[in-house]
Amino acid sequence: MLHIPAPDPFTVFGLPHSLDLDERTLEQRYLKLSRDCHTDLNRASDAVDCVAVLQRAAEINDAWKVLRDPWQRARALIELRSPGAMERNKRLDAAVLAAALELAEEVAFAGAAELPRLRERLQQALAADFVTVRAAITRGDIDDAARRWHSSHYHKKALADLEAKS
Amino acid sequence: MAYSDKVLDHYQNPRNVGSLDKNAPDVGTGIVGAPECGDVMKLQIKVDDQGRIVDAKFKTYGCGSAIASSSLATEWLKGTTVDAAAQIKNTQIVEELSLPPVKIHCSVLAEDAIKAAIEDWRKKRSAQATPPEGHA
Protein backbone atom coordinates (compact mmCIF):
# COMPACT_ATOMS: atom_id res chain seq x y z
CA MET A 1 0.00 0.00 0.00
CA LEU A 2 1.14 3.50 -0.70
CA HIS A 3 2.33 5.13 2.43
CA ILE A 4 1.55 8.81 2.76
CA PRO A 5 3.91 10.22 5.37
CA ALA A 6 2.75 12.75 7.93
CA PRO A 7 2.93 15.65 7.27
CA ASP A 8 1.70 14.93 3.74
CA PRO A 9 3.59 16.41 0.75
CA PHE A 10 1.08 19.22 0.20
CA THR A 11 1.29 20.31 3.83
CA VAL A 12 5.11 20.20 3.74
CA PHE A 13 4.94 22.68 0.87
CA GLY A 14 2.19 24.73 2.51
CA LEU A 15 -0.06 24.12 -0.48
CA PRO A 16 -3.71 23.08 -0.72
CA HIS A 17 -4.65 19.44 -1.41
CA SER A 18 -5.10 20.05 -5.12
CA LEU A 19 -4.15 18.27 -8.31
CA ASP A 20 -3.65 21.48 -10.24
CA LEU A 21 -0.57 23.13 -8.84
CA ASP A 22 1.36 25.74 -10.76
CA GLU A 23 4.70 24.17 -11.70
CA ARG A 24 6.57 27.47 -11.25
CA THR A 25 5.14 28.16 -7.81
CA LEU A 26 5.98 24.60 -6.87
CA GLU A 27 9.60 24.91 -7.94
CA GLN A 28 10.08 28.29 -6.26
CA ARG A 29 8.57 26.90 -3.07
CA TYR A 30 10.97 23.96 -3.22
CA LEU A 31 14.00 26.19 -3.68
CA LYS A 32 12.96 28.48 -0.84
CA LEU A 33 12.27 25.60 1.56
CA SER A 34 15.63 24.03 0.71
CA ARG A 35 17.48 27.33 1.20
CA ASP A 36 15.82 27.88 4.57
CA CYS A 37 16.83 24.39 5.60
CA HIS A 38 20.47 25.13 4.76
CA THR A 39 20.37 28.34 6.83
CA ASP A 40 18.83 26.44 9.72
CA LEU A 41 21.52 23.79 9.47
CA ASN A 42 24.26 26.40 9.69
CA ARG A 43 22.60 27.88 12.77
CA ALA A 44 21.98 24.54 14.46
CA SER A 45 23.74 24.65 17.81
CA ASP A 46 23.74 20.99 18.76
CA ALA A 47 23.27 17.48 17.42
CA VAL A 48 19.54 17.39 18.28
CA ASP A 49 18.92 20.53 16.21
CA CYS A 50 20.97 19.09 13.38
CA VAL A 51 18.95 15.89 13.26
CA ALA A 52 15.69 17.85 13.25
CA VAL A 53 16.82 20.03 10.35
CA LEU A 54 18.05 17.05 8.35
CA GLN A 55 14.77 15.29 8.91
CA ARG A 56 12.96 18.34 7.64
CA ALA A 57 15.24 18.42 4.58
CA ALA A 58 14.37 14.78 3.85
CA GLU A 59 10.65 15.59 4.18
CA ILE A 60 11.01 18.44 1.69
CA ASN A 61 12.87 16.27 -0.82
CA ASP A 62 10.36 13.44 -0.53
CA ALA A 63 7.44 15.84 -0.91
CA TRP A 64 9.12 17.41 -3.96
CA LYS A 65 9.47 14.03 -5.65
CA VAL A 66 5.74 13.44 -5.26
CA LEU A 67 4.46 16.90 -6.09
CA ARG A 68 6.59 17.56 -9.17
CA ASP A 69 5.16 14.51 -10.98
CA PRO A 70 1.45 14.99 -11.80
CA TRP A 71 0.79 11.23 -11.65
CA GLN A 72 2.44 10.87 -8.24
CA ARG A 73 0.59 13.99 -7.10
CA ALA A 74 -2.71 12.42 -8.20
CA ARG A 75 -1.83 9.20 -6.41
CA ALA A 76 -1.04 11.04 -3.17
CA LEU A 77 -4.26 13.01 -3.45
CA ILE A 78 -6.30 9.83 -3.97
CA GLU A 79 -4.76 8.28 -0.83
CA LEU A 80 -5.31 11.45 1.19
CA ARG A 81 -8.95 11.73 0.18
CA SER A 82 -9.67 8.04 0.73
CA PRO A 83 -6.93 6.06 2.53
CA GLY A 84 -6.54 2.56 1.06
CA ALA A 85 -8.28 3.48 -2.21
CA MET A 86 -5.29 2.44 -4.35
CA GLU A 87 -5.11 -0.98 -2.72
CA ARG A 88 -8.90 -1.49 -2.78
CA ASN A 89 -9.26 -0.79 -6.49
CA LYS A 90 -6.51 -2.92 -7.96
CA ARG A 91 -8.93 -5.36 -9.57
CA LEU A 92 -9.52 -4.06 -13.07
CA ASP A 93 -12.16 -4.92 -15.65
CA ALA A 94 -11.36 -7.81 -17.97
CA ALA A 95 -11.90 -5.46 -20.92
CA VAL A 96 -9.22 -3.06 -19.61
CA LEU A 97 -6.79 -5.94 -19.09
CA ALA A 98 -7.53 -7.44 -22.51
CA ALA A 99 -6.81 -4.06 -24.10
CA ALA A 100 -3.55 -3.85 -22.12
CA LEU A 101 -2.52 -7.27 -23.41
CA GLU A 102 -3.28 -6.29 -27.02
CA LEU A 103 -1.37 -3.05 -26.62
CA ALA A 104 1.66 -4.89 -25.21
CA GLU A 105 1.62 -7.20 -28.23
CA GLU A 106 1.27 -4.29 -30.60
CA VAL A 107 4.34 -2.63 -29.08
CA ALA A 108 6.31 -5.88 -29.07
CA PHE A 109 5.66 -6.59 -32.75
CA ALA A 110 5.79 -3.02 -34.04
CA GLY A 111 8.43 -2.29 -36.68
CA ALA A 112 10.70 0.75 -36.41
CA ALA A 113 8.55 2.68 -38.91
CA GLU A 114 5.44 2.26 -36.78
CA LEU A 115 6.99 3.43 -33.51
CA PRO A 116 6.51 7.21 -33.87
CA ARG A 117 2.78 6.85 -34.58
CA LEU A 118 2.39 4.34 -31.75
CA ARG A 119 4.30 6.63 -29.37
CA GLU A 120 2.00 9.51 -30.23
CA ARG A 121 -1.06 7.33 -29.68
CA LEU A 122 0.21 6.19 -26.26
CA GLN A 123 1.05 9.74 -25.21
CA GLN A 124 -2.45 10.83 -26.19
CA ALA A 125 -3.95 7.88 -24.30
CA LEU A 126 -1.99 8.85 -21.18
CA ALA A 127 -3.09 12.46 -21.45
CA ALA A 128 -6.70 11.27 -21.78
CA ASP A 129 -6.20 8.98 -18.75
CA PHE A 130 -5.04 11.92 -16.69
CA VAL A 131 -8.12 13.93 -17.66
CA THR A 132 -10.38 11.08 -16.48
CA VAL A 133 -8.44 10.72 -13.20
CA ARG A 134 -8.78 14.44 -12.58
CA ALA A 135 -12.51 14.36 -13.42
CA ALA A 136 -13.09 11.45 -11.01
CA ILE A 137 -11.22 13.24 -8.20
CA THR A 138 -13.15 16.43 -8.90
CA ARG A 139 -16.52 14.73 -8.66
CA GLY A 140 -15.37 12.96 -5.49
CA ASP A 141 -15.42 9.41 -6.91
CA ILE A 142 -12.07 8.44 -5.43
CA ASP A 143 -12.50 4.70 -6.06
CA ASP A 144 -13.01 5.40 -9.75
CA ALA A 145 -9.98 7.71 -9.74
CA ALA A 146 -7.88 4.91 -8.22
CA ARG A 147 -9.10 2.38 -10.81
CA ARG A 148 -8.32 4.77 -13.65
CA TRP A 149 -4.91 5.52 -12.14
CA HIS A 150 -4.15 1.78 -12.11
CA SER A 151 -5.41 1.34 -15.69
CA SER A 152 -3.15 4.14 -16.88
CA HIS A 153 -0.16 2.16 -15.60
CA TYR A 154 -0.53 -0.14 -18.61
CA HIS A 155 -0.20 2.82 -20.97
CA LYS A 156 2.88 4.00 -19.05
CA LYS A 157 4.39 0.54 -19.24
CA ALA A 158 3.66 0.18 -22.96
CA LEU A 159 5.29 3.56 -23.55
CA ALA A 160 8.35 2.50 -21.52
CA ASP A 161 8.55 -0.73 -23.57
CA LEU A 162 8.34 1.30 -26.75
CA GLU A 163 11.13 3.66 -25.63
CA ALA A 164 13.27 0.66 -24.68
CA LYS A 165 12.84 -0.66 -28.24
CA SER A 166 13.85 2.52 -30.03
CA MET B 1 18.09 -12.11 -8.64
CA ALA B 2 18.71 -15.52 -10.17
CA TYR B 3 15.87 -17.36 -11.83
CA SER B 4 15.63 -21.09 -11.23
CA ASP B 5 16.32 -23.46 -14.14
CA LYS B 6 12.63 -24.34 -14.33
CA VAL B 7 11.62 -20.68 -14.61
CA LEU B 8 14.21 -20.13 -17.35
CA ASP B 9 13.03 -23.24 -19.18
CA HIS B 10 9.39 -22.09 -19.19
CA TYR B 11 10.45 -18.54 -20.04
CA GLN B 12 12.54 -19.63 -23.02
CA ASN B 13 10.18 -22.38 -24.16
CA PRO B 14 6.75 -21.36 -22.91
CA ARG B 15 4.18 -24.15 -23.33
CA ASN B 16 0.71 -23.57 -24.73
CA VAL B 17 1.08 -19.94 -25.75
CA GLY B 18 -1.90 -18.72 -27.72
CA SER B 19 -5.62 -18.17 -27.65
CA LEU B 20 -8.81 -20.19 -27.79
CA ASP B 21 -12.11 -18.82 -29.08
CA LYS B 22 -13.38 -16.85 -26.10
CA ASN B 23 -16.93 -16.98 -27.47
CA ALA B 24 -17.03 -20.79 -27.73
CA PRO B 25 -19.44 -22.34 -25.19
CA ASP B 26 -16.86 -24.91 -24.03
CA VAL B 27 -14.07 -22.33 -23.47
CA GLY B 28 -13.52 -20.48 -20.20
CA THR B 29 -11.38 -17.33 -20.20
CA GLY B 30 -9.70 -15.79 -17.19
CA ILE B 31 -7.90 -12.50 -17.50
CA VAL B 32 -6.26 -10.98 -14.44
CA GLY B 33 -3.71 -8.27 -13.79
CA ALA B 34 -1.46 -6.78 -11.17
CA PRO B 35 -1.42 -3.08 -11.98
CA GLU B 36 1.49 -2.19 -9.64
CA CYS B 37 3.89 -4.21 -11.76
CA GLY B 38 1.88 -3.91 -14.97
CA ASP B 39 1.44 -7.66 -15.46
CA VAL B 40 -1.49 -9.14 -17.33
CA MET B 41 -2.27 -12.84 -17.61
CA LYS B 42 -4.88 -14.41 -19.87
CA LEU B 43 -5.57 -18.09 -19.35
CA GLN B 44 -8.11 -20.15 -21.27
CA ILE B 45 -9.43 -23.68 -20.85
CA LYS B 46 -11.42 -25.88 -23.22
CA VAL B 47 -13.59 -28.37 -21.36
CA ASP B 48 -15.34 -31.50 -22.66
CA ASP B 49 -18.77 -32.84 -21.63
CA GLN B 50 -17.24 -34.86 -18.80
CA GLY B 51 -15.71 -31.78 -17.21
CA ARG B 52 -12.21 -32.67 -18.38
CA ILE B 53 -9.87 -29.91 -19.57
CA VAL B 54 -8.82 -30.94 -23.08
CA ASP B 55 -6.82 -27.83 -23.93
CA ALA B 56 -5.33 -24.81 -22.18
CA LYS B 57 -3.67 -21.69 -23.59
CA PHE B 58 -2.17 -18.57 -22.11
CA LYS B 59 -0.81 -15.17 -22.98
CA THR B 60 1.12 -13.25 -20.36
CA TYR B 61 2.58 -9.77 -20.40
CA GLY B 62 5.01 -9.65 -17.54
CA CYS B 63 8.27 -10.85 -16.06
CA GLY B 64 9.87 -14.27 -16.47
CA SER B 65 8.24 -15.60 -13.31
CA ALA B 66 4.77 -14.53 -14.45
CA ILE B 67 5.30 -16.22 -17.82
CA ALA B 68 6.68 -19.36 -16.19
CA SER B 69 3.82 -19.49 -13.66
CA SER B 70 1.15 -19.33 -16.35
CA SER B 71 3.02 -21.69 -18.67
CA LEU B 72 3.31 -24.26 -15.88
CA ALA B 73 -0.36 -23.75 -14.98
CA THR B 74 -1.47 -24.65 -18.53
CA GLU B 75 0.66 -27.81 -18.38
CA TRP B 76 -1.03 -28.85 -15.16
CA LEU B 77 -4.48 -27.97 -16.46
CA LYS B 78 -4.36 -30.06 -19.62
CA GLY B 79 -5.88 -33.49 -19.00
CA THR B 80 -7.13 -32.73 -15.52
CA THR B 81 -10.73 -32.12 -14.48
CA VAL B 82 -12.23 -28.73 -13.74
CA ASP B 83 -12.82 -29.77 -10.14
CA ALA B 84 -9.18 -30.80 -9.68
CA ALA B 85 -8.02 -27.61 -11.43
CA ALA B 86 -10.01 -25.52 -8.97
CA GLN B 87 -7.87 -27.02 -6.17
CA ILE B 88 -4.55 -25.82 -7.63
CA LYS B 89 -2.85 -23.51 -5.15
CA ASN B 90 -0.29 -20.83 -5.83
CA THR B 91 2.01 -22.45 -3.27
CA GLN B 92 2.33 -25.51 -5.55
CA ILE B 93 3.55 -23.23 -8.34
CA VAL B 94 5.98 -21.48 -5.96
CA GLU B 95 7.36 -24.85 -4.95
CA GLU B 96 7.64 -26.27 -8.48
CA LEU B 97 9.39 -23.18 -9.85
CA SER B 98 11.33 -22.31 -6.65
CA LEU B 99 10.04 -18.75 -6.83
CA PRO B 100 11.67 -16.29 -4.43
CA PRO B 101 9.43 -14.32 -2.03
CA VAL B 102 9.40 -11.19 -4.26
CA LYS B 103 7.90 -13.27 -7.09
CA ILE B 104 5.17 -15.02 -5.14
CA HIS B 105 2.59 -12.56 -6.47
CA CYS B 106 3.19 -14.05 -9.95
CA SER B 107 1.98 -17.43 -8.73
CA VAL B 108 -1.01 -15.76 -7.04
CA LEU B 109 -1.86 -14.18 -10.39
CA ALA B 110 -1.72 -17.61 -12.05
CA GLU B 111 -4.05 -19.11 -9.42
CA ASP B 112 -6.43 -16.17 -9.88
CA ALA B 113 -6.35 -16.69 -13.65
CA ILE B 114 -7.20 -20.40 -13.30
CA LYS B 115 -10.11 -19.58 -10.97
CA ALA B 116 -11.38 -16.82 -13.28
CA ALA B 117 -11.25 -19.16 -16.31
CA ILE B 118 -13.16 -21.87 -14.42
CA GLU B 119 -15.74 -19.33 -13.24
CA ASP B 120 -16.23 -18.06 -16.80
CA TRP B 121 -16.71 -21.61 -18.10
CA ARG B 122 -19.18 -22.47 -15.29
CA LYS B 123 -21.13 -19.32 -15.97
CA LYS B 124 -21.43 -20.21 -19.64
CA ARG B 125 -22.49 -23.76 -18.81
CA SER B 126 -25.21 -22.75 -16.36
CA ALA B 127 -26.48 -20.17 -18.88
CA GLN B 128 -26.86 -22.99 -21.38
CA ALA B 129 -28.61 -25.24 -18.86
CA THR B 130 -31.26 -22.63 -18.04
CA PRO B 131 -33.38 -21.65 -21.04
CA PRO B 132 -33.93 -17.93 -21.44
CA GLU B 133 -36.94 -16.59 -19.54
CA GLY B 134 -39.77 -14.43 -20.79
CA HIS B 135 -41.25 -16.85 -23.33
CA ALA B 136 -44.22 -18.14 -21.34
Side-chain angles (χ1 to χ4, degrees):
Chain A
M1 200 181 108
L2 172 75
H3 177 66
I4 294 286
D8 71 76
F10 298 91
T11 306
V12 171
F13 270 57
L15 291 167
H17 287 179
S18 165
L19 190 54
D20 297 299
L21 300 177
D22 178 53
E23 308 269 332
R24 243 184 97 77
T25 311
L26 206 55
E27 194 176 348
Q28 283 168 349
R29 193 69 64 105
Y30 171 64
L31 294 175
K32 169 147 182 20
L33 288 169
S34 299
R35 258 198 315 271
D36 292 351
C37 241
H38 274 283
T39 314
D40 289 347
L41 192 58
N42 290 333
R43 281 191 196 138
S45 53
D46 56 28
V48 178
D49 277 356
C50 258
V51 168
V53 174
L54 288 175
Q55 200 171 339
R56 168 101 183 121
E59 266 174 24
I60 292 163
N61 282 325
D62 289 344
W64 172 236
K65 273 184 217 149
V66 173
L67 295 180
R68 68 188 301 192
D69 175 352
W71 283 101
Q72 290 305 317
R73 203 190 295 157
R75 190 185 172 131
L77 203 54
I78 288 168
E79 276 302 301
L80 284 168
R81 294 270 171 92
S82 175
M86 293 302 288
E87 182 67 24
R88 266 199 318 277
N89 294 287
K90 279 200 306 199
R91 209 165 267 276
L92 301 176
D93 273 358
V96 170
L97 294 171
L101 205 52
E102 270 172 37
L103 197 57
E105 276 185 316
E106 207 179 328
V107 171
F109 295 120
E114 296 158 278
L115 293 184
R117 193 189 49 82
L118 197 49
R119 177 184 294 118
E120 196 178 327
R121 215 180 86 203
L122 287 170
Q123 284 165 345
Q124 280 170 0
L126 263 178
D129 287 342
F130 196 77
V131 170
T132 61
V133 169
R134 172 193 280 128
I137 292 175
T138 305
R139 67 172 186 275
D141 191 347
I142 305 304
D143 284 333
D144 189 48
R147 265 192 303 275
R148 290 178 185 280
W149 198 100
H150 282 313
S151 307
S152 78
H153 194 89
Y154 290 109
H155 287 147
K156 293 193 195 94
K157 200 178 167 197
L159 197 55
D161 284 355
L162 185 145
E163 298 306 348
K165 261 182 88 145
S166 49
Chain B
M1 189 195 64
Y3 281 122
S4 71
D5 288 345
K6 279 179 182 165
V7 169
L8 286 175
D9 179 36
H10 276 280
Y11 180 60
Q12 283 158 357
N13 309 292
R15 332 294 199 254
N16 310 306
V17 173
S19 292
L20 300 169
D21 177 10
K22 68 178 195 302
N23 297 317
D26 58 348
V27 169
T29 301
I31 178 157
V32 293
E36 330 62 340
C37 51
D39 287 0
V40 189
M41 206 176 265
K42 183 177 81 168
L43 197 145
Q44 295 182 299
I45 50 171
K46 188 180 167 75
V47 186
D48 71 10
D49 295 339
Q50 280 75 50
R52 190 163 288 276
I53 297 171
V54 292
D55 201 3
K57 296 275 183 206
F58 84 96
K59 266 189 187 180
T60 290
Y61 174 45
C63 66
S65 299
I67 290 168
S69 294
S70 36
S71 170
L72 175 69
T74 55
E75 274 201 322
W76 282 353
L77 290 172
K78 279 168 92 167
T80 191
T81 62
V82 169
D83 292 333
Q87 301 303 315
I88 294 175
K89 292 274 170 295
N90 82 291
T91 47
Q92 294 166 274
I93 297 171
V94 170
E95 202 174 316
E96 177 67 20
L97 296 176
S98 316
L99 294 181
V102 291
K103 291 294 178 184
I104 287 176
H105 67 276
C106 298
S107 68
V108 173
L109 211 54
E111 185 189 323
D112 288 348
I114 294 172
K115 294 209 155 61
I118 293 172
E119 196 188 312
D120 183 53
W121 173 77
R122 285 197 171 131
K123 217 180 275 173
K124 278 184 181 173
R125 205 179 56 155
S126 60
Q128 282 172 323
T130 8
E133 291 170 30
H135 294 284

